[in-house]
Amino acid sequence: MHVTLRQLQAFEAVARLRSFSRAAEEMHVTQPTVSKQIRLLHEQVGLPLLEQLGKKVFLTEAGRELYATCSDWLDTWGRFEQTIANLKGLKQGRLRIAAVTTTKYFMPRILGPFCAQYPGVDIALEVVNRDRLLDRLANNQDDLYVMGVPPVGMDIESEPFMDNPLILLAPAGHPMVGRKRIPFAELAQETFLMREQGSGTRMTMERLFQERDTPLRVRMELGSNEAIKQAVAGGLGLGLLSRSTLNMDPSQKELAVLDVEGFPVMRAWYVVRPKGKQLSAVAATFLEFLRGNVQLLVPRQ
Ligand code: PGA
């Protein structure tokens, strides 16, 4: 059989994610490219490997056999690539980082200087919400993961590297602005703007209100921190966000941070990896760089 590594990678991604579109997204190619690779693979194997019913993708018996075989091959190949990159030292290599959406306010500030110091390193940064990031972690898709709430019950190593206070934002003209130590219970009278299902910020917010036995009234659900800030500025409600989202934002004049009892909620940003995962030389170097250069992540005022 004339089977290529690319075909196997496409098949493995579709079989694991049960979706052509998600496989294409992960591989940074178009969906027709993935379909073509799979079609060529079908022709070589001589039996159908996948069945598509509606939007769902199922593995045939031959598909299940191939999936088991090619997951092992690709793992071995990945280790080979890593060994070669290690042998070449840091001149080249790929660093795969998955980071939650909120980190987009600071991750580029460390990646820039890191790339300048190691120009041969090619970085793939996936920015996804917490739920998608946990899927990637469970599937061992990246070298390192950056998030605010490491999962409990997964076999991981997590290391805090920077503070991640959560603050309560109001529009500048809100009656609570300027008051000191506002009792938490008063928040029951307010309406809130909430991040989408699967967001770590949303999870923290829901837990906080639950712990305090305070009803949380949600006016609107929005899929990004920026959208929340704009909606708060527009007077649609209050927002609970990581302080990292405020960095150098021109619309900040329209926003005020409320002094509510229990705020800021002190948390940390963590760098996470599966327990016992052998880091590539590039990933280990990045981790050292991150530990030694946390000051780069904080914007100069
Ligand atoms: P989010 O995650 O960007 O998915 O809200 C933030 C966090 O984990 O604190």
Side-chain angles (χ1 to χ4, degrees):
M1 285 187 210
H2 295 287
V3 167
T4 67
L5 186 63
R6 208 70 194 137
Q7 289 164 7
L8 291 178
Q9 282 169 330
F11 172 76
E12 190 276 337
V14 174
R16 172 167 41 82
L17 299 167
R18 299 297 163 110
S19 153
F20 281 77
S21 56
R22 285 182 67 187
E25 192 185 313
E26 182 181 298
M27 295 179 74
H28 303 293
V29 296
T30 63
Q31 201 169 321
T33 306
V34 172
S35 305
K36 183 173 167 208
Q37 301 288 2
I38 304 279
R39 196 177 63 245
L40 294 171
L41 191 57
H42 272 194
E43 282 166 19
Q44 286 300 319
V45 175
L47 283 174
L49 301 166
L50 299 168
E51 266 166 6
Q52 194 162 8
L53 300 176
K55 283 199 165 234
K56 288 206 166 138
V57 175
F58 296 91
L59 294 178
T60 62
E61 195 180 337
R64 281 198 295 277
E65 285 297 324
L66 180 61
Y67 182 50
T69 313
C70 79
S71 302
D72 288 348
W73 278 347
L74 292 175
D75 227 37
T76 311
W77 182 261
R79 276 202 298 279
F80 167 71
E81 279 188 338
Q82 185 173 312
T83 310
I84 295 297
N86 291 353
L87 288 175
K88 286 179 180 164
L90 274 170
K91 291 193 192 70
Q92 341 182 338
R94 187 151 237 246
L95 174 63
R96 286 171 214 274
I97 302 178
V100 289
T101 32
T102 307
T103 66
K104 75 169 189 187
Y105 295 91
F106 59 82
M107 279 309 279
R109 263 184 251 141
I110 193 123
L111 294 176
F114 181 75
C115 288
Q117 191 157 334
Y118 302 102
V121 175
D122 165 27
I123 297 183
L125 174 67
E126 285 292 332
V127 180
V128 290
N129 77 14
R130 184 174 181 273
D131 266 13
R132 293 290 297 276
L133 184 132
L134 293 186
D135 281 348
R136 298 184 68 89
L137 175 62
N139 289 317
N140 190 21
Q141 281 173 262
D142 308 276
D143 297 307
L144 297 168
Y145 303 82
V146 183
M147 67 180 96
V149 196
V152 185
M154 263 172 111
D155 224 3
I156 53 163
E157 290 177 57
S158 60
E159 180 180 324
F161 63 90
M162 187 172 69
D163 289 344
N164 177 20
L166 282 175
I167 52 167
L168 202 52
L169 283 180
H174 192 279
M176 282 180 170
V177 175
R179 282 180 57 198
K180 298 268 173 244
R181 312 287 305 143
I182 301 165
F184 193 96
E186 284 193 30
L187 297 181
Q189 313 309 323
E190 298 296 321
T191 47
F192 285 83
L193 301 155
M194 179 102 120
R195 281 279 305 275
E196 78 287 359
Q197 191 65 256
S199 137
T201 308
R202 174 182 176 135
M203 194 179 84
T204 308
M205 181 170 174
E206 287 174 336
R207 277 195 194 156
L208 193 67
F209 278 74
Q210 245 163 38
E211 279 164 16
R212 302 269 189 153
D213 234 351
T214 306
L216 171 59
R217 290 200 294 161
V218 177
R219 156 81 53 88
M220 202 189 278
E221 193 177 299
L222 293 154
S224 78
N225 294 316
E226 280 311 300
I228 294 209
K229 278 159 56 181
Q230 294 304 327
V232 171
L236 287 167
L238 304 184
L240 186 149
L241 292 178
S242 165
R243 185 146 72 204
S244 307
T245 63
L246 285 189
N247 297 342
M248 296 186 273
D249 182 355
S251 73
Q252 220 162 295
K253 290 189 294 315
E254 303 171 343
L255 298 171
V257 178
L258 293 182
D259 181 5
V260 173
E261 166 219 335
F263 282 90
V265 179
M266 290 314 286
R267 304 195 312 160
W269 286 114
Y270 293 83
V271 60
V272 173
R273 60 186 143 132
K275 198 171 203 127
K277 180 172 166 102
Q278 178 78 41
L279 287 185
S280 67
V282 172
T285 305
F286 177 74
L287 194 53
E288 275 307 309
F289 190 85
L290 177 68
R291 287 177 184 137
N293 292 282
V294 169
Q295 79 286 352
L296 293 175
L297 300 171
V298 184
R300 272 182 242 117
Q301 298 297 333

